[in-house]
Amino acid sequence: MLSVLVANPKGGCGKSTLATNLAAAFANSGMKTALADVDPQKSSLTWLKLRPQDAAKIEGLNWLKNEGEMTKGLHRLVIDVGAGIPKQHFDVLLKAADLVVMPVLPSIFDETTTGEFLQKVETLKPISKGTKPIAIVGNRMRANTRAAGRLEAFLDDVGHQVVTRLSDRSAYSEMASQGLSVFDRPGAHKSIIESDWMPLIQFVESQDWAYAVG
Ligand SMILES: Nc1ncnc2c1ncn2[C@@H]1O[C@H](COP(=O)(O)OP(=O)(O)O)[C@@H](O)[C@H]1O
Ligand SMILES: [Mg+2]
């Protein structure tokens, strides 16, 4: 089993969007997948309730109630963590994860909060030793904007692998409102799946391989 912790203390940066789309990507490729929600706003569990019966199955785990609850035989677990997570709680959740995915928006406030949080968690052994990598994802990127340019400068210095950039697309909220993701309608979202998501999926899957041999 491979477990992905989606975290960033800033609200609205795309954690639930990343968590739900990643979970759906795994489920649609035939893997037994669960989505654990550790956010009082319960966005991921709400999304699962909207999910159509015939969509690829994703099991919901309410970690607000039962943190660490697990199902047997899972191939992939995605953990959606709420905003404002303190370092201590991140440390506990990190034990259940193989890697961290951290979205960042092109906003000075998001960059500052993310930078400060990274400095704190870099003192944790699995992070400082690189045994649990942090995959940074630039989110809601709009080409040739000043904000995107500044985020690029931030990403250049972030000190962790910047795995991909997600462009700003209304498809995410449109699909989410139906309990779906871009991976549930791959034909309609072929170009963003290939350009924006495949680098992240490949990065996650390469951790599985590292885990298997290591
Ligand atoms: N790449 C994107 N393009 C367009 N809208 C996005 C994108 N990523 C997130 N959003 C939207 O931004 C809002 C906040 O995203 P969300 O995933 O809920 O953030 P978080 O879980 O970090 O609070 C949602 O309305 C979501 O649809
Ligand atoms: Mg959320």
Side-chain angles (χ1 to χ4, degrees):
M1 202 263 289
L2 187 84
S3 168
V4 182
L5 183 63
V6 184
N8 184 315
K10 197 82 174 72
C13 63
K15 294 178 291 293
S16 299
T17 301
L18 269 162
T20 51
N21 277 274
L22 264 184
F26 299 140
N28 276 293
S29 69
M31 290 189 271
K32 188 173 174 185
T33 304
L35 183 55
D37 202 332
V38 202
D39 183 351
Q41 291 183 5
K42 293 194 193 155
S43 304
S44 280
L45 291 179
T46 304
W47 177 80
L48 278 177
K49 277 194 197 139
L50 296 169
R51 197 159 169 77
Q53 289 270 329
D54 60 354
K57 192 176 177 330
I58 300 169
E59 191 177 337
L61 299 172
N62 185 346
W63 278 23
L64 273 176
K65 258 193 181 165
N66 294 312
E67 190 169 305
E69 177 195 15
M70 205 69 82
T71 319
K72 278 197 181 139
L74 282 180
H75 301 121
R76 295 287 177 267
L77 171 68
V78 181
I79 309 166
D80 182 9
V81 181
I85 184 180
K87 178 186 155 185
Q88 293 79 359
H89 194 190
F90 178 86
D91 190 20
V92 173
L93 291 169
L94 188 61
K95 294 189 183 14
D98 298 292
L99 76 151
V100 180
V101 170
M102 195 175 289
V104 197
L105 290 185
S107 130
I108 189 71
F109 305 122
D110 288 65
E111 291 151 26
T112 306
T113 305
T114 304
E116 286 170 1
F117 185 65
L118 280 171
Q119 274 189 356
K120 281 189 203 157
V121 302
E122 276 157 10
T123 60
L124 301 171
K125 265 207 183 126
I127 305 294
S128 64
K129 288 190 167 173
T131 50
K132 298 194 177 181
I134 298 183
I136 305 281
V137 174
N139 191 22
R140 305 194 73 164
M141 303 293 282
R142 288 160 65 206
N144 304 323
T145 58
R146 194 179 291 184
R150 206 202 39 249
L151 179 65
E152 287 300 342
F154 170 80
L155 297 177
D156 278 347
D157 283 345
V158 79
H160 296 273
Q161 194 164 344
V162 181
V163 172
T164 194
R165 291 156 182 79
L166 301 186
S167 45
D168 191 75
R169 296 294 174 103
S170 56
Y172 293 113
S173 59
E174 282 161 19
M175 296 306 284
S177 65
Q178 306 165 62
L180 295 171
S181 78
V182 296
F183 292 93
D184 296 302
R185 300 279 183 272
H189 304 108
K190 197 168 181 287
S191 68
I192 51 173
I193 288 177
E194 278 173 11
S195 62
D196 295 9
W197 285 90
M198 282 324 286
L200 178 61
I201 306 279
Q202 280 164 5
F203 184 84
V204 173
E205 294 305 316
S206 72
Q207 301 307 310
D208 191 21
W209 184 80
Y211 183 71
V213 297

